[in-house]
Amino acid sequence: MFNELEIINKRLLTSLKEILGNSGQSNNNLLLTKYSSYIRNTIEGIRFSNITFDEHFIFTDDKFELGHLNLQGIERKSISKIETIKISDIKRIYFDNCTFNFIPIIKQKNVWLIEFNECIFNDSFEQFHKTLLTSTRDEKKLYFNNCKFNDFTIGDISDIRYNLDTKLSYFEINGGIIDNFKIQNIEIASKFYINKQYDGNDKQLIIKNLEFNQVIFKENFKLHNCDILQCYIKDTDFEKHADFFMSSFNKGKEKNMEFKAINFKGLALFGDTQFSEKLVFRYVTFEGYVHFRRSVLKKGINLDYSNIQNEINFYGINILDNSSMTKESFRIIKYHLEKIGNKIEANKYHSLELNQNRKDICSNDKMNFDLIQRGIVAVLHKVSSNHSQSWFLPLFWIFIVGIVFNYFINNELLSLNYEYLKDIVKYMSLLTKLEDYRCDNFLFLINKVILGYLYYQFLVSIRKDTRKWWKILLRKQ
């Protein structure tokens, strides 16, 4: 899209300097009808098309400056005559396919609608909240549709220090590209929606670098369907709901995607999001409900340093690589799945928790008797049933027990004859009596203990899978 815009910019766009330079006028002018191919009038509005603003654009309560012109009115040609629209009567401003080399300043109190369509903002335009987003009237609306920004920066060090409660105009950014999107050192008292997805907008917004630092969002926050190449979020409070629906995060400032020192006081919604690197919540407080429905966490999640006060819904979460996850993170996921009644998925993360516990014990440099005991149990649980995830493994080991005990008691090697198979089944059964074993009490006891453990693992595993298939059948009905 923006490659096409650049071609149009080179071939078709006319600079503001060229348009105004031809007027031969200086100050307090009417903008004449001969420039209407670039600047057109609508009812109570004005539309700028295919212009490169290489000079300033200022529209406040006491002046309207286009480059070197201080305009008092704009001519409008109707069917029968030429009319003049007063600057004070302009209430809507549209920019189509325009390029801005200087940030426009529009703070006229009568203007309630400003719309930028496929525009390019060059240079480092900072302090948008003091130039375009400043709230001059309650119903003022700004729309940025498929625009490209080099820098979109809100806030400076003084704003949060003096607690300004910055009230922004209602604005939407729908689609487009932002190279650097920074919000820092500011309190924002109004709703803050970026690329909000609704019936009229399904565009994706590309943000190459997103940075929130020392920010307080006092109203609802939405960041929808954004492809974020690099993200850094720190020391930020979301006092109402925070919604990151359908956004994808490629990496953080230091590879891992880290949310650090964050307070989520309302809902925290990560539905259908995707994280390419490990998602780390460090010193994060979730006061409200959280959900990760159908989220893709390619390299796992770390919840060790998070404070969770309500339920988290992990339904449909997809973790592609859990090798770097901790036992505590698995435990938290398991706990919250159980809390909402999702026993099937909870069993899966219980298994992963036990598996990670085994790895932690085996990698511990300071082994003691307690760790050795726990390690033996963990290894046995892994080998016998993959932490109750496989019903086939216990059956396999029960069959092996039958072969081994038959060899030690009867000294018989592998064979396929009927009598040999009968002996194996005898040593696989919990119901076989001591007199049928033809061995001492010690071997009988060892056989029963091993079989008892393996049958227990089989029952736990089969119960889990039976419940799973039973629920699937009920859903189909």
Side-chain angles (χ1 to χ4, degrees), residues 261-417:
I262 311 294
N263 290 318
F264 292 98
K265 297 186 178 182
L267 294 174
L269 308 175
F270 296 90
D272 295 283
T273 53
Q274 179 172 297
F275 296 88
S276 296
E277 297 295 337
K278 187 176 181 180
L279 175 59
V280 178
F281 290 106
R282 192 175 301 278
Y283 314 120
V284 171
T285 297
F286 295 102
E287 294 186 20
Y289 292 95
V290 186
H291 87 63
F292 285 89
R293 289 175 63 90
R294 298 183 300 273
S295 292
V296 177
L297 306 174
K298 290 187 177 180
K299 296 189 178 179
I301 185 173
N302 188 320
L303 295 163
D304 291 17
Y305 296 95
S306 57
N307 177 21
I308 302 167
Q309 298 182 10
N310 271 296
E311 295 172 5
I312 302 182
N313 187 348
F314 289 103
Y315 177 76
I317 193 172
N318 187 6
I319 298 176
L320 303 183
D321 180 3
N322 57 46
S323 59
S324 64
M325 287 181 61
T326 63
K327 179 177 67 175
E328 178 65 8
S329 295
F330 288 130
R331 185 198 65 78
I332 291 172
I333 296 174
K334 176 200 72 175
Y335 170 78
H336 285 279
L337 287 169
E338 287 178 341
K339 199 170 182 180
I340 63 173
N342 192 341
K343 296 288 185 181
I344 297 171
E345 288 295 307
N347 288 336
K348 171 185 172 182
Y349 285 96
H350 177 61
S351 171
L352 291 170
E353 177 192 359
L354 293 174
N355 193 51
Q356 187 59 45
N357 179 61
R358 176 185 59 80
K359 291 179 181 178
D360 292 344
I361 293 172
C362 294
S363 62
N364 196 312
D365 294 332
K366 299 178 180 180
M367 295 297 290
N368 54 43
F369 183 69
D370 180 59
L371 282 177
I372 291 172
Q373 290 184 94
R374 289 167 53 197
I376 292 172
V377 172
V379 170
L380 284 175
H381 201 196
K382 169 69 176 177
V383 172
S384 63
S385 64
N386 191 23
H387 302 297
S388 302
Q389 292 299 297
S390 171
W391 55 264
F392 174 78
L393 275 176
L395 289 182
F396 170 77
W397 287 116
I398 289 170
F399 183 69
I400 295 298
V401 167
I403 293 174
V404 170
F405 272 81
N406 184 55
Y407 174 76
F408 278 109
I409 295 172
N410 300 324
N411 199 24
E412 289 184 284
L413 295 175
L414 287 173
S415 175
L416 294 179
N417 63 68

Side-chain angles (χ1 to χ4, degrees), residues 144-157:
F144 301 93
N145 300 315
N146 282 327
C147 293
K148 183 181 186 302
F149 302 86
N150 278 5
D151 285 280
F152 194 107
T153 301
I154 299 176
D156 63 29
I157 194 65

Side-chain angles (χ1 to χ4, degrees), residues 47 94-98 115-119 145-147:
R47 183 179 296 272
Y94 304 89
F95 299 92
D96 299 327
N97 189 31
C98 292
E115 188 171 308
F116 298 90
N117 298 303
E118 298 193 342
C119 293
N145 300 315
N146 282 327
C147 293

